[in-house]
Amino acid sequence: MKVLLFGATGMVGQGVLRECLLDPEVELVVTVGRSATAARDAKLREIVHQDLANYTGIEKDLVGFNACFFCLGVSSNGMRESEYERVTYGFTLAAAETLSRLAKLDTPGKEMTFIYVSGSGTDSSEKGRAMWARVKGRTENALLRLPLNAYMFRPGFIEPMDGIESRTPSYRIFYRVIGWALPMLRWALPNQVLSTREIGQAMLAVAKRGYGKRILETKDIRAVLGR
């Protein structure tokens, strides 16, 4: 399996990259982002690309993949809706629309699997009060309309593992403060907590075998792994 990964330097993306590199069924992982990762592996290739709203110059490098894991995202804290939408909706759809078109040309009649990391509480109606939830909902709905084999992952609380840290300073502080309580939280709220390791493993499982739902909440992501 050949995987395209967006957002590999973020907390979730780092976890997904790790699981892809560990999976013997994955023969190639190509990351796309504004900066390279620190990972080194024989089956890893990296594309550093600054304009995440336009892929015209690198389209030839985006062909021939079985799945795309889109983990790129930003916190909505302190952002205006227009700016958050530019990143969350704009960057995601720019990539998805490009890949949809290229996949159709590369293998007519076959849709690429596209897995998008959304979030618990996303508003599919696009009309709720929470700005981030509306924008995420609009993004999900647009992806589901594309000719892609698209799945939306909606994790709740995410536990970083394997030395992975968030790039957001406030999140790093938060995790350091509550780190001691994570095992208890996982035991008390199994359908609210996922690890970066579990998200990566579940994405690979869905890419290989599919799933009965297009929108996966935490309990569905755990079910993919038989937990």
Side-chain angles (χ1 to χ4, degrees), residues 98-112 147:
T98 298
L99 294 175
S100 174
R101 175 171 52 81
L102 293 176
K104 187 175 181 180
L105 293 173
D106 182 51
T107 311
K110 186 175 181 180
E111 296 180 346
M112 169 187 271

Side-chain angles (χ1 to χ4, degrees), residues 55-221:
Y55 297 93
T56 302
I58 62 168
E59 286 190 354
K60 68 181 187 303
D61 300 314
L62 304 179
V63 176
F65 293 89
N66 304 101
C68 173
F69 300 151
F70 199 90
C71 306
L72 189 155
V74 294
S75 168
S76 63
N77 292 337
M79 294 186 75
R80 295 190 299 273
E81 183 165 352
S82 59
E83 180 61 16
Y84 183 70
E85 185 171 36
R86 183 182 73 85
V87 176
T88 301
Y89 180 89
F91 288 176
T92 307
L93 267 294
E97 289 171 351
T98 298
L99 294 175
S100 174
R101 175 171 52 81
L102 293 176
K104 187 175 181 180
L105 293 173
D106 182 51
T107 311
K110 186 175 181 180
E111 296 180 346
M112 169 187 271
T113 295
F114 188 100
I115 301 180
Y116 172 61
V117 178
S118 186
S120 179
T122 292
D123 177 17
S124 296
S125 76
E126 307 178 33
K127 298 177 181 178
R129 296 181 64 181
M131 178 272 283
W132 73 267
R134 291 196 305 272
V135 175
K136 286 276 192 180
R138 183 183 174 207
T139 304
E140 285 189 355
N141 291 339
L143 290 172
L144 291 169
R145 288 193 293 266
L146 288 175
L148 287 167
N149 189 26
Y151 296 90
M152 311 296 116
F153 269 40
R154 291 183 175 182
F157 186 87
I158 301 172
E159 177 187 0
M161 300 187 75
D162 307 302
I164 292 170
E165 287 190 324
S166 171
R167 296 179 66 187
T168 305
S170 60
Y171 286 5
R172 287 200 300 272
I173 294 171
F174 173 76
Y175 281 115
R176 287 169 188 164
V177 169
I178 70 158
W180 64 273
L182 288 177
M184 185 182 300
L185 186 64
R186 174 181 287 276
W187 175 82
L189 302 170
N191 288 327
Q192 301 296 324
V193 182
L194 288 167
S195 69
T196 49
R197 193 181 295 175
E198 288 171 325
I199 293 173
Q201 292 171 358
M203 282 190 170
L204 286 163
V206 171
K208 294 172 188 177
R209 300 184 289 275
Y211 192 67
K213 296 181 180 179
R214 294 293 180 170
I215 297 176
L216 288 78
E217 304 287 351
T218 296
K219 64 181 181 180
D220 301 303
I221 297 170

Side-chain angles (χ1 to χ4, degrees), residues 20-42:
C20 287
L21 295 177
L22 288 172
D23 191 320
E25 294 184 54
V26 176
E27 61 180 284
L28 174 67
V29 184
V30 175
T31 65
V32 181
R34 287 174 169 166
S35 59
T37 71
R40 297 292 180 270
D41 193 279

